[in-house]
Each structure stands twice: as C-alpha cells, then as structure tokens.
C-alpha cells in the first residue's frame, strides 16, 4: 500500500471554529436536552452538573478504576490525554469522550434502575413517529411504478440525504442540480457504486449505519430494495453498541424502525416485512462492535472488525462522523484524492455523507473553487451539500 498522506489532526481549541463551537456550545445544549427528557434523580442531576463544568472548563479525568471499559479507553488514549483540556485533545476523541461521560452521568452503565435507558430515545422516537416520516413513506407508492434502476437511484439518494430523504424521490430535480453553478452533490460516484454491486451479484453489502429515526429508515429501504432485486444476497448492518452522538442508531433503534415500516401501509409495509424476514433467516445481520464507539479512525480498527469488512462486495459508510473516521479527522485539502486516504480500508468502500463538519476529500478543484466563491467555508458544515465517493 502506498504511503498515506498526512494532514494536521483537528483540535477544538481555536475560538470561532466549528469544533470549538461543538465543545463550548453544542455539548452544554445536549446536557440540557438530556436533563429535560427524563425526571432524573438528584445523583444524576449532580453528575450532569459536574460534567457540564468539566467539559467546558475542566480537564480530561481518567475513568474510575472499576469502570467496565477502563482498559479499553486506556488503549484508546485516555491516560495520554488525562490532565489536558477537552479543547486541546483531538476533536474526534473529545467528542467521543463526552458521550461516554454523559452515559456515565445518567446511570446508563449501571448497576441501578436507569441502567440501559437511552437518554436520547425520546427525540429519536419523536422523529420516527412524526408526520414527516409518514409523508416520506407515502412517497414509496409513487416510486413503486418506476423502473428498478430508478427506484434504486432514488433510494440511494434517500439514504444519502437522511432526514431530507424526500429529496431522494424527486428524480426530476437531479438534472437541474447537475447544471447548477454549485451543485448540492459535490462528488458523485454513484455509477461506480452500482457497478461494484452488479459485478459481485449477489454478494454481501456491509452498511455502517449513522443516525436512527428518519435517517435509518431510508438506509433500511435501500437494503430491502437490493435484497428484493437480488443485487445482494446478504447485508450486514453495523450499529452502535450503546447510545452515541445523540442520534446514532443502536439495535433498539433498528427494531423501532422496522416496526414503523411493518405497521405502515402499502409499499412501506412490504419493505418492512421483507426486512423482518431477512433478519429472521440471516440474510440481514446486525453487528455492534465496541470500536464503533471508539474515538479513533478506521485506520486503527482491530483485526476482527477488519476481517468483517474484508470479504464484502462493498462496505457502505454512512454519515458525517463515519466519514471523519474513514478518511481521518484531519484538515485535508479538499482536493486530496479519496482513494489516497482510504487505502487502509480492507476492501471496496463507499461513503454516503452530507457535509456537517470541516473534513472533506476527493473534490475536483473547480468544484472547490465554486463552493468557496459562492459560500466561503459555510459549505463544509451546513448540511446543504453531500457526496457519494467510492474506492474500489
């Protein structure tokens, strides 16, 4: 494998930067949101207060000696970063550490009556049960009459845009977007993605999920379509082993989404029944590897996870956080080739991602120039642009 290029690791210690805003503003807001979502007891309230003070003004403190995952976090850099402010350690590490500490504060890891209670479940359920989800599922009826390749492309775009999934069904808008000075889709390797799947038909697709709720539903619909058409013979869905980054999908969220589909009407229910059956007979398998909640890039994945990805016809990596972990959370020049920074991955890999952080690779120089001319650097973090990138 050729030498992997390097770029500075992103920190959160520059005031005014996007990472600094996450640490100084978003994390305190998440603590408030979690506090309001449940009638937590005094001990948990005090622990949340302590976390708020520590994450904004304090330093990284090692986990207690009896923490069930202390050894794991030691391997992930806890001792090396102890004593430093949350702003001065790698931003990816600091964010992951925040969610680990938040779960500790609310008693998620137990033992006790709050063990295993997802602090983000109310917001996940509210989104999944919203009228907007009904509208998106109803759009499947119009999609059903389209040719199979148009259905696949629409569902791919639905998975790409997540909670803007309705855009995925507006096929007529795609041509107009391609002609725009600054297209919403800033890199599009969709044809290569389909070619890889067709060439290995019916191979295995690994999908590394991102968010729950309205963003997980279109991921599941895409998997169902590929199974139904015989494009893939099997799918492996990687989810988080515990709540993470507010809305990241866990096994419980997958079950909630499947029930939402099965209980719907028409085409949505058909997709739901297909997926339910696929889980039951092994064509769809769930994975929840501890490394999924690690503060490290995929380049440092353990051997057992590498072995899970290696034989797949394609691993589809969803979302912004997974993209940062795939290419490395670094200040890459946007024109850095995607293939150069994903050479470590053990098999063909594709990224479906809306841009919600500074990290980006694989853009054509003209595309970057147009984006900067039109929007400055806002295009990197606003979620209004997306990409489909493939490394075979």
């Amino acid at each position: 494998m050729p030498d992997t290029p390097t770029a500075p690791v992103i920190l959160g210690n520059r005031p005014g930067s996007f990472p600094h805003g996450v640490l100084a503003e978003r994390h305190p807001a998440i603590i408030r949101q979690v506090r309001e979502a449940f009638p937590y007891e005094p001990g948990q309230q005090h622990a949340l207060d302590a976390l708020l003070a520590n994450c904004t003004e304090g330093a990284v403190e090692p986990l207690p000696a009896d923490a069930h995952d202390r050894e794991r976090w030691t391997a992930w850099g806890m001792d090396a970063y102890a004593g430093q402010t949350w702003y001065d350690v790698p931003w990816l590490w600091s964010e992951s550490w925040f969610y680990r500490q938040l779960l500790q504060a609310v008693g998620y890891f137990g033992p006790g009556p709050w063990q295993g209670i997802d602090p983000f479940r109310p917001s996940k359920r509210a989104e999944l049960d919203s009228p907007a989800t009904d509208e998106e599922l109803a759009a499947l009826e119009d999609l059903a009459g389209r040719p199979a390749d148009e259905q696949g492309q629409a569902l791919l775009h639905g998975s790409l845009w997540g909670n803007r999934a309705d855009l995925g069904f507006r096929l007529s808008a795609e041509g107009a977007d391609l002609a725009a000075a600054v297209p919403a889709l800033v890199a599009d390797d969709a044809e290569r993605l389909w070619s890889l799947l067709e060439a290995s038909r019916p191979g295995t697709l690994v999908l590394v999920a991102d968010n729950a709720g309205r963003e997980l539903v279109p991921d599941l619909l895409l998997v169902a379509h590929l199974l139904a058409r015989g494009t893939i013979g099997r799918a492996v869905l990687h989810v988080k082993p515990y709540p993470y980054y507010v809305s990241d999908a866990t096994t419980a969220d997958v079950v909630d989404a499947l029930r939402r589909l099965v209980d719907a009407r028409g085409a949505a229910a058909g997709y739901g029944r297909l997926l339910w059956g696929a889980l039951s007979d092994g064509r769809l398998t769930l994975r929840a590897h501890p490394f999924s909640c690690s503060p490290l890039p995929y380049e440092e994945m353990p051997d057992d996870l590498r072995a899970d990805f290696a034989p797949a016809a394609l691993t589809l990596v969803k979302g912004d956080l997974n993209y940062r972990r795939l290419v490395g959370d670094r200040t890459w020049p946007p024109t850095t080739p995607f293939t150069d920074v994903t050479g470590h991955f053990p098999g063909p890999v594709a990224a479906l991602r809306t841009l919600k952080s500074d990290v980006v690779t694989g853009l054509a120089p003209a595309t970057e120039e147009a984006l900067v001319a039109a929007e400055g650097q806002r295009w990197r973090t606003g979620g209004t642009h997306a990409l489909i990138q493939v490394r075979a």
Side-chain angles (χ1 to χ4, degrees):
M1 186 177 73
D3 291 338
T4 302
T6 59
V9 172
I10 294 177
L11 308 178
N13 57 7
R14 182 168 60 85
S17 68
F18 184 75
H20 188 278
V22 169
L23 298 176
E25 301 169 14
R26 184 181 296 179
H27 285 177
I30 290 170
I31 291 174
R32 291 193 296 271
Q33 172 189 333
V34 167
R35 188 193 299 272
E36 294 168 1
F38 289 95
Y40 287 123
E41 299 171 22
Q44 293 160 301
Q45 299 283 355
H46 294 321
L48 289 170
D49 290 339
L51 175 59
L52 177 60
N54 183 251
C55 74
T56 54
E57 302 174 1
V60 174
E61 300 175 359
L63 295 172
D66 60 350
H68 73 282
D69 53 352
R70 180 183 170 88
E71 182 177 346
R72 184 177 297 150
W73 275 95
T74 297
W76 289 346
M78 179 181 67
D79 291 348
Y81 296 133
Q84 300 185 53
T85 75
W86 294 52
Y87 299 90
D88 292 327
V89 303
W91 181 43
L92 178 62
W93 198 95
S94 187
E95 281 194 288
S96 296
W97 182 247
F98 171 78
Y99 290 101
R100 168 59 181 84
Q101 297 293 70
L102 180 64
L103 293 180
Q104 182 73 32
V106 299
Y108 180 87
F109 294 115
W114 292 89
Q115 184 175 13
I117 301 299
D118 183 350
F120 310 122
R121 182 171 172 78
S123 58
K124 291 176 179 178
R125 287 295 319 189
E127 182 180 278
L128 188 62
D129 295 336
S130 69
T133 302
D134 290 329
E135 295 173 6
E136 288 162 7
L137 294 181
L140 291 171
E141 302 304 322
D142 296 332
L143 193 64
R146 304 279 188 113
D149 59 341
E150 289 189 16
Q151 292 183 36
Q153 189 73 350
L155 292 169
L156 179 68
H157 278 255
S159 179
L160 169 66
W161 287 104
N163 62 10
R164 295 173 59 193
D166 56 306
L167 295 180
F169 304 122
R170 298 177 188 171
L171 298 181
S172 60
E174 292 180 10
D177 180 64
L178 291 174
V182 184
L185 195 56
V186 298
D188 187 2
D189 290 343
E191 288 190 12
R192 294 185 66 200
L193 186 154
W194 292 119
S195 295
L196 275 173
L197 290 176
E198 288 293 338
S200 60
R201 174 191 288 255
T204 296
L205 173 72
V206 174
L207 195 155
V208 182
D210 185 32
N211 292 334
R214 286 174 60 203
E215 298 196 35
L216 180 60
V217 167
D219 294 344
L220 292 172
L221 294 174
L222 176 62
V223 169
H225 172 81
L226 295 174
L227 285 170
R229 297 293 174 182
T231 307
I232 60 174
R234 180 170 174 264
V236 180
L237 182 63
H238 281 255
V239 296
K240 301 299 189 296
Y242 51 77
Y244 191 58
Y245 276 70
V246 180
S247 55
D248 281 28
T250 65
T251 298
D253 298 318
V254 174
V255 174
D256 284 344
L258 288 179
R259 285 175 174 155
R260 182 73 164 86
L261 289 171
V262 170
D263 291 342
R265 298 179 179 179
Y271 281 117
R273 289 191 294 269
L274 186 154
L275 290 165
W276 196 283
L279 262 178
S280 300
D281 63 26
R283 286 176 296 147
L284 174 59
T285 306
L286 299 183
R287 295 278 192 273
H289 196 284
F291 190 78
S292 296
C293 290
S294 84
L296 304 176
Y298 278 111
E299 189 170 14
E300 299 182 41
M301 75 178 83
D303 290 342
D304 63 330
L305 186 57
R306 185 174 294 274
D308 206 25
F309 290 142
L314 180 67
T315 295
L316 190 57
V317 175
K318 277 294 311 296
D320 194 80
L321 172 61
N322 285 324
Y323 187 87
R324 291 164 56 194
R325 298 186 68 201
L326 176 64
V327 305
D329 203 35
R330 297 172 177 268
T331 54
W332 300 111
T335 55
T336 302
F338 178 73
T339 54
D340 286 0
V341 293
T342 56
H344 63 85
F345 202 85
V349 62
L352 263 62
R353 175 232 184 173
T354 53
L355 278 59
K356 299 177 183 177
S357 68
D358 291 311
V359 179
V360 65
T361 67
L363 298 192
T367 300
E368 183 195 3
E369 291 172 8
L371 288 165
V372 173
E375 305 177 30
Q377 297 299 325
R378 295 189 305 275
W379 61 272
R380 292 174 177 262
T381 59
T384 56
H385 297 284
L387 54 79
I388 302 172
Q389 293 176 323
V390 175
R391 194 224 75 206

